[in-house]
Amino acid sequence: MSADLAPHDFLRRFVSAADAAGFRVVQYGQADEFPLLVAENSPASPRLGIHLSAGIHGDEPAGSLALLTLMQQGWFDAGIAWHIFPLLNPTGMDSGTRENRAGLDLNRDYRHAAAEETRAHQNWLAHTRRRYDAALALHEDWESRGFYLYEVRESAEPDLGYAILQAVEPFLPIDRSPEIDGFPARDGLLRPHADASLATVEQWPEQLFLRQSHTALSLTFETPSAFPLPRRVLGHIVAVKTAVNRLLAPHIEDTFDI
Ligand SMILES: [Zn+2]
């Protein structure tokens, strides 16, 4: 179950890659013996602002490894204002558990913020007062038969979610179940929680909180844990790259006669 990922080692590698890529790494909190870290940059006239996060569940290593790999590749466009949270739950990664060491599922904690990790994240977001164009969260699912994603946004944009699914499909199968995680799904795309129903949800995931207060668009990627780790990492990398490229050039297919 444990991913053989040690948080100190992971964070050391991430900091080293972020330094080399010209990012600042800021400690925004502390989870027992581990620092909570965010990488940020400051472009003069950013084309987009993006919040990127992984590792809120300690038994889902592919997202954190995908962010590390993208950082090592120098992929993060210096023209975009990034806030990159590579590991929201280091004590969970240390124990190989979904929850943090105190037994709290951090991704159900964003309405009432009982955990120090959640409070530190929310305080940092309140302090920076950033409004993002998009927030991307990288997760894994032990029960799914393939990749799927959640999309929550102000207005319906039919193409983005399916463009991401199409890009990932050569690397991972898509879970085409009609219902996933209790929500109706269509070809791997879930659009739960119309904004009007937010007040009735007691246990907010991170992305509902971000959607409520900090971003126009929230995307959550889910890779199937039963598949080999390198393929899951690759699935996240392809999903992130496709989403960001589409946000930079949403109508590129109209620009070129293809
Ligand atoms: Zn998760």
Side-chain angles (χ1 to χ4, degrees):
M1 177 115 165
S2 168
D4 300 323
L5 256 194
H8 279 310
D9 181 50
F10 170 81
L11 290 170
R12 184 184 51 73
R13 287 155 65 196
F14 184 83
V15 168
S16 161
D19 282 346
F23 277 79
R24 279 185 310 283
V25 179
V26 177
Q27 179 174 356
Y28 66 92
Q30 184 82 27
D32 292 353
E33 70 271 37
F34 302 110
L36 298 169
L37 301 180
V38 55
E40 61 174 1
N41 62 344
S42 308
S45 310
R47 301 166 69 192
L48 290 173
I50 295 183
H51 181 287
L52 198 44
S53 56
I56 197 169
H57 290 139
D59 58 349
E60 302 176 6
S64 294
L65 288 170
L67 295 186
L68 172 62
T69 303
L70 287 167
M71 193 60 93
Q72 289 170 332
Q73 291 174 347
W75 178 79
F76 292 107
D77 187 325
I80 294 174
W82 299 97
H83 284 162
I84 302 170
F85 297 79
L87 182 53
L88 289 171
N89 179 11
T91 65
M93 178 186 275
D94 189 48
S95 49
T97 56
R98 176 181 176 90
E99 297 80 10
N100 72 356
R101 191 176 282 158
L104 290 169
D105 184 339
L106 302 183
N107 206 34
R108 299 290 179 269
D109 192 40
Y110 276 75
R111 183 161 192 178
H112 301 298
E116 174 57 29
E117 293 92 331
T118 315
R119 283 197 297 273
H121 187 194
Q122 290 185 336
N123 287 342
W124 194 83
L125 290 165
H127 174 71
T128 55
R129 286 190 287 184
R130 180 77 58 82
R131 176 91 184 160
Y132 302 100
D133 295 290
L136 280 52
L138 280 47
H139 282 254
E140 304 211 75
D141 187 335
W142 286 92
E143 294 171 348
S144 79
R145 292 182 288 181
F147 181 91
Y148 64 94
L149 67 86
Y150 295 87
E151 181 186 48
V152 182
R153 62 190 309 151
E154 276 166 4
S155 57
E157 202 269 284
D159 292 344
L160 178 66
Y162 288 116
I164 297 165
L165 289 158
Q166 201 171 41
V168 170
E169 189 157 24
F171 307 98
L172 284 172
I174 303 304
D175 189 335
R176 299 188 190 280
S177 309
E179 185 181 299
I180 299 175
D181 211 15
F183 297 106
R186 202 174 136 204
D187 291 330
L189 181 60
L190 287 73
R191 291 197 177 109
H193 299 310
D195 286 351
S197 71
L198 271 185
T200 66
V201 180
E202 266 304 302
Q203 299 183 313
W204 286 7
E206 176 209 15
Q207 289 295 305
L208 272 196
F209 169 77
L210 288 172
R211 173 64 198 92
Q212 179 82 343
S213 305
H214 295 283
T215 186
L217 165 65
S218 157
L219 293 168
T220 301
F221 304 144
E222 299 271 0
T223 49
S225 302
F227 282 73
L229 183 60
R231 283 180 64 188
R232 288 141 53 199
V233 173
L234 188 56
H236 276 303
I237 288 173
V238 171
V240 169
K241 286 185 173 181
T242 305
V244 173
N245 288 339
R246 291 284 294 211
L247 290 167
L248 283 170
H251 302 299
I252 196 153
E253 72 276 17
D254 300 334
T255 314
F256 299 103
D257 189 16
I258 51 176

